[in-house]
Amino acid sequence: MRRTALIASAALLTALLPLTAVGTASGAADPPPVPVDRFEGEVPFAGQPAEGIFTWGGDADDPPALQLTDRADAPEGAKVLTGTYDISGYGGFTHDFAATEPAHDWSAHRGIRFWWDGRNTTRKISFEIKDGGANGEASELWTTSFTDDFTGWKQIEIPFADFVYRTDYQPVGGIDHVLGLTQMWGYALTLPVGLQGQFAMDDVELYGRADQSLRASVTTDAAVYPVREGGTAAVEVSVATTGAAPIDEPVTVAYESAGGTATPGRDYTPVHGEITFPAGTLSGTSRVIKVPTLRDKSAEAAETIPLKLTVTGAKAPAETPQVVVDAHGLPYLDPKLPVKKRVADLLSRMSLAEKAGQMTQAERGAVGNGGDVAAYDLGSLLSGGGSTPTPNTPAAWAKMIDGFQLRAQATRFQIPLIYGVDAVHGHNNLAGATVMPHNIGIGATRDPALAERTGAVTAAEVRATGIPWDFAPCLCVSRDERWGRSYESFGEDPALVESMETIVQGLQGARSGKDLKRGDKVLATAKHYVGDGGTGYGTSTTGSYTLDQGVTKVTRQELEAVHLAPFKTAVDRGVGTVMPSYSSLDIVGDGLGPVKMHARADMINGVLKGRMGFDGFVISDWNAIDQLPGDYASHVRTSVNAGVDMMMVPYSYKDFRTALVAEVTAGRVSERRIDDAVSRILTQKFELGLFEKPYADTGGASRIGSAAHRAVARQAAAESQVLLKNADGVLPLKKSQKVYVAGSNADDLGNQTGGWTLTWQGSSGPITKGTTILQGMRDAGGDVTYSKDASAPTTGYDVGVVVVGETPYAEGVGDVGNGNDLELTAADKAAVDKVCAAMKCAVLIVSGRPQLVGDRLGAIDALVASWLPGTEGAGVADVLYGKRPFTGQLPVTWPRSEAQLPVNVGDTAYDPQFPYGWGLTTLGRAPAGGLPALKALGAAAAAAERAHRGTAGRALVTKARLLVQQKAGQHITAALAKPFADADHLLLTGRYGAAVQKLTEAYRAA
């Protein structure tokens, strides 16, 4: 339905408005208002491509309920738009104009206004408009907000000049970053989160006459202009207009250097004057104001020179630009001095507020254009999952981070930011980056050298976008595959996790930290300290989570052997930062009960920093201190005193910094503790070379997503494939075979990359650049026919490949019991049943954890655990067609039923579907000879162990393992499974002779 009568008579519309609104908002010379929504039924509840009003939200409960309601007090007409809402994530509603009709031109008007029935909630309500693009869902979003701090009807007027470009999300990655107003597609409101409420709205309309001061603006090319002492700063001043039209009237800019910490005449030559942009000046025209600084002989901290701009005829810049005379001559600035001395010198000069700022980390989306970086002396920023610049390109990342670093140059000591990101399987927030298999797949490779190479590729791509810090690797030892984070673990055996910690060297380089200055290395983070993989089912107190952020109850011996061991290895490898877990630790017999890890001084100060000798810094998890008991001051005091050095407080950074200063001032947190934390943080910043090179080194940007990097990911995907069953040698496939491919995950890049891909939770579909498993099979030269749901005829094929499994999730959202289980979907089961009944079949399970397939195992000829292979589905095709052999081994136990969980290597009762370490190979045949061959292998393995010949020892154990698997076939009993799994643990701990003895025991049980 298309509205045809938009413009009513001026007299009628004016009569509908209160006299105050007419007098103050319109004025005699203003054009009549233009209705957008009267809510009388002229616009239906509908979505694109038709015109309509529709709701949206983060999950099924978040979209508000809307209706048109008769109200006697309606400001205009008989009906108003009413709604109810109870939003836990995000939600709101939109009015989109019809995509099949031309966009609307709003450029002749001052702004947009509407009536709102206030409930005095004191909450902000976001209002955004849609500019340019193809339609309302492919436009550029510009946003502002109003506060519901009143009761009853009130007309909200928003000049178009108040709207700012939305930086946290753009549906098409942004267009031109200019609010043109000539091609408008509608508006949207985002309702308050965490509040159960009602609203009413009426009469959305355009009002007033556009004037130049609202559509023309003066900007500067930067907010901060660092300059060496004695140099001259050049401040570029530009005039711009919405729609890029020339200005109608002159614009003048009077400028004057005034205020700041620099002294005029001593530190700089004062400047003042006026710039005029005549009528007819083209949008984008620039002039330059030069500010000379003066040289003296004293060493000094940085000093600021604000350049006050007074604008006539256009909107002034949002903030006053500042020239900054760089700090100079101070010892901490000397790169020739030892880092320890540089840290001590800088620390001695800092105020308590500056130190507290260094301990504070904010989300990039919370600091807007970055002015708070200097205002609060922030030490760090981060991008949470899905928090990306627009457009999401390497260049935009580098530009964004450089902009934030520029802000830090306006602080007294110009301490650079350290920017962090969750690059947990490649630079997974960046579109087009190389996405590796998730850690569970890396664990399946049993290839420490390859793990290091994946880390090196990740580091190179992350650092090339200006980011020096990665919140990875996760060193959790996953003990229950119902956990939604289980794919973040390398496996259930601490020995396996430790063996994969070569990835730390891939990320950081040398253990000494000497490589951190390189343009292809980043600071790594060992997380989540400690025990997050051992939380008990049903212990979580976070929302509807079942395991994540729950309680890990262990004996002291279990804690040391299972969960702490990987962190000791990480410390020995020189890892730069450690992140505590959200979870609680309950050590049997210590009398403390469950205590949140962010509050466990005994584990952070005592074990990590004390006994292990960790000399990096500890960074909290996202808002984790809010889960501690007590008030906010207690949260801050407890976590800092426990040993947390930097607090990830994404949107509450101001509160944290204020509270920390107050706690120190009151004596509840010691200055010595603050100095320790800040020293640790500054040390890593110096080691990274950020003081000398704070800005992005984009020299490696051309290699992001390159063929060489994707080759590493492809190899990792291939080596991660675990062949669990292969009756009659169905795999590898032959290119001459006609192959029928089916299943939900055969041709879905988002599903095979999993969570933490572009967004926190990930999503299905073609979300980034890569190759699906189906495309990989086609590219390999296979004769392939694809039918996702197996609805196409199944006759005439030699073999079927059914690719099934999970859709993406992350953290506790993926916990079993939180809307998830370990069963295949009904559609996937149907596809497996149909294809495997019609032909020989191989089933690939693309998932973050084992799936329960025992009831179908008899009908399946070949079964492959594909895990979450990342963007390079060609790696999966490589092993399917024999270009590479299957060599992967299970990094976790594959259960027979959910009731068995948790089940892990070393358990007394151990009867899984497939044991830990299981993995058939197409590399070569198992040796012949039975028990005599095993005896000989055992003797040789023991000799290799005594001689510390690891390569030889591992090869001998592998031969013994293959011999056992050949004899066992699919008849895996508890008597076989337990020693088989134990053997793999012994292999990883270097006890080769004992491993073969266990395999001999398994052989006898087969």
Side-chain angles (χ1 to χ4, degrees), residues 92-410:
F93 63 94
T94 290
H95 174 186
D96 274 355
F97 301 147
T100 56
E101 299 288 339
H104 295 202
D105 186 347
W106 292 358
S107 63
H109 296 271
R110 181 188 303 271
I112 190 167
R113 66 188 179 194
F114 51 89
W115 289 89
W116 189 263
D117 187 13
R119 304 301 171 100
N120 202 26
T121 64
T122 71
R123 302 291 290 275
K124 287 186 178 296
I125 299 168
S126 295
F127 188 95
E128 65 189 24
I129 54 178
K130 305 185 171 197
D131 177 55
N135 55 60
E137 298 309 292
S139 58
E140 195 168 69
L141 304 182
W142 291 75
T143 187
T144 187
S145 65
F146 65 96
T147 302
D148 183 357
D149 56 0
F150 54 91
T151 301
W153 288 108
K154 178 181 178 180
Q155 191 174 47
I156 307 296
E157 291 191 344
I158 307 176
F160 291 131
D162 286 357
F163 286 91
V164 296
Y165 181 80
R166 186 169 170 180
T167 56
D168 60 335
Y169 169 73
Q170 289 288 342
V172 289
I175 301 169
D176 58 5
H177 296 209
V178 174
L179 180 57
L181 296 174
T182 58
Q183 291 185 303
M184 303 303 294
W185 292 105
Y187 65 89
L189 278 84
T190 303
L191 297 166
V193 177
L195 182 71
Q196 188 173 21
Q198 300 177 331
F199 72 89
M201 182 181 187
D202 198 16
D203 191 26
V204 184
E205 64 183 16
L206 308 177
Y207 76 94
R209 182 185 301 279
D211 60 58
Q212 182 165 286
S213 64
L214 291 175
R215 66 180 184 85
S217 60
V218 168
T219 60
T220 58
D221 58 325
V224 179
Y225 296 84
V227 60
R228 290 187 178 183
E229 186 188 41
T232 298
V235 179
E236 186 176 287
V237 179
S238 303
V239 64
T241 62
T242 55
I247 58 176
D248 298 325
E249 303 168 7
V251 172
T252 60
V253 182
Y255 60 88
E256 179 185 10
S257 55
T261 58
T263 303
R266 189 184 74 185
D267 296 316
Y268 69 97
T269 300
V271 297
H272 63 88
E274 186 175 276
I275 294 171
T276 299
F277 296 94
T281 299
L282 297 179
S283 179
T285 301
S286 300
R287 302 284 188 270
V288 174
I289 302 170
K290 294 186 176 182
V291 181
T293 68
L294 303 174
R295 186 183 299 275
D296 58 33
K297 296 182 179 180
S298 59
E300 294 175 302
E303 296 172 308
T304 58
I305 309 167
L307 187 63
K308 182 182 177 183
L309 304 179
T310 304
V311 178
T312 304
K315 187 178 180 180
E319 56 185 309
T320 299
Q322 290 192 84
V323 174
V324 179
V325 183
D326 287 339
H328 55 278
L330 301 174
Y332 78 88
L333 295 169
D334 185 356
K336 296 178 182 178
L337 287 178
V339 167
K340 191 172 183 179
K341 287 189 175 181
R342 298 179 74 182
V343 169
D345 176 69
L346 178 52
L347 191 70
S348 71
R349 301 174 186 278
M350 296 171 67
S351 68
L352 173 59
E354 288 167 330
K355 293 174 183 177
Q358 285 300 301
M359 296 173 65
T360 308
Q361 183 183 64
E363 220 289 330
R364 61 162 283 279
V367 298
N369 60 15
D372 279 357
V373 170
Y376 294 91
D377 298 292
L378 297 180
S380 180
L381 295 179
L382 84 151
S383 279
S387 178
T388 65
T390 303
N392 188 358
T393 63
W397 275 92
K399 181 179 179 182
M400 174 186 73
I401 294 167
D402 282 355
F404 290 134
Q405 288 288 17
L406 182 64
R407 294 290 188 159
Q409 295 300 299

Side-chain angles (χ1 to χ4, degrees), residues 500-727:
M500 293 294 110
E501 290 186 51
T502 50
I503 197 170
V504 173
Q505 263 56 65
L507 293 167
Q508 290 195 171
R511 301 181 187 211
S512 66
K514 69 179 180 66
D515 294 332
L516 286 172
K517 291 183 174 67
R518 284 170 40 177
D520 62 349
K521 294 299 173 189
V522 294
L523 197 67
T525 306
K527 66 181 189 184
H528 303 92
Y529 183 81
V530 59
D532 56 334
T535 52
Y537 189 87
T539 64
S540 180
T541 57
T542 300
S544 55
Y545 294 4
T546 55
L547 283 106
D548 193 32
Q549 306 182 24
V551 178
T552 299
K553 188 171 185 176
V554 288
T555 65
R556 180 71 67 176
Q557 182 181 7
E558 289 169 333
L559 175 65
E560 295 283 346
V562 176
H563 298 292
L564 274 172
F567 287 92
K568 178 62 169 69
T569 299
V571 171
D572 291 344
R573 286 185 171 275
V575 73
T577 62
V578 171
M579 181 184 292
S581 175
Y582 280 116
S583 56
S584 299
L585 184 62
D586 185 357
I587 304 175
V588 176
D590 73 355
L592 298 176
V595 179
K596 285 286 186 181
M597 274 306 308
H598 283 74
R600 291 214 66 138
D602 60 329
M603 299 304 300
I604 300 174
N605 286 329
V607 175
L608 178 65
K609 293 181 175 179
R611 192 183 82 196
M612 292 185 184
F614 173 63
D615 59 4
F617 71 88
V618 176
I619 171 70
S620 87
D621 210 333
W622 180 286
N623 277 337
I625 65 170
D626 290 348
Q627 296 189 9
L628 301 183
D631 59 16
Y632 193 71
S634 174
H635 298 168
V636 172
R637 174 173 67 251
T638 300
S639 54
V640 172
N641 284 336
V644 183
D645 301 305
M646 181 184 285
M647 223 60 67
M648 188 186 294
V649 278
Y651 294 93
S652 54
Y653 56 93
K654 298 175 187 177
D655 294 336
F656 169 76
R657 181 175 177 270
T658 300
L660 180 56
V661 169
E663 289 300 296
V664 177
T665 303
R668 291 184 288 268
V669 175
S670 71
E671 291 193 33
R672 182 179 179 183
R673 171 70 195 104
I674 298 300
D675 286 352
D676 171 61
V678 178
S679 294
R680 290 169 176 269
I681 294 164
L682 293 176
T683 296
Q684 297 303 328
K685 291 186 176 185
F686 280 117
E687 294 283 3
L688 285 161
L690 295 177
F691 280 82
E692 287 70 51
K693 294 183 178 179
Y695 302 114
D697 177 358
T698 58
S702 63
R703 294 190 290 275
I704 294 173
S706 66
H709 285 183
R710 291 182 182 275
V712 175
R714 180 172 180 168
Q715 181 183 347
E719 291 191 24
S720 71
Q721 302 300 293
V722 180
L723 185 58
L724 298 172
K725 178 181 180 180
N726 195 26

Side-chain angles (χ1 to χ4, degrees), residues 17 159 229 331 498-499 558 563 662 685 711 772 956 967 973 977:
L17 299 174
E229 186 188 41
E498 289 179 77
S499 73
E558 289 169 333
H563 298 292
K685 291 186 176 185
T772 66
L956 291 163
K967 182 183 180 186
T973 63

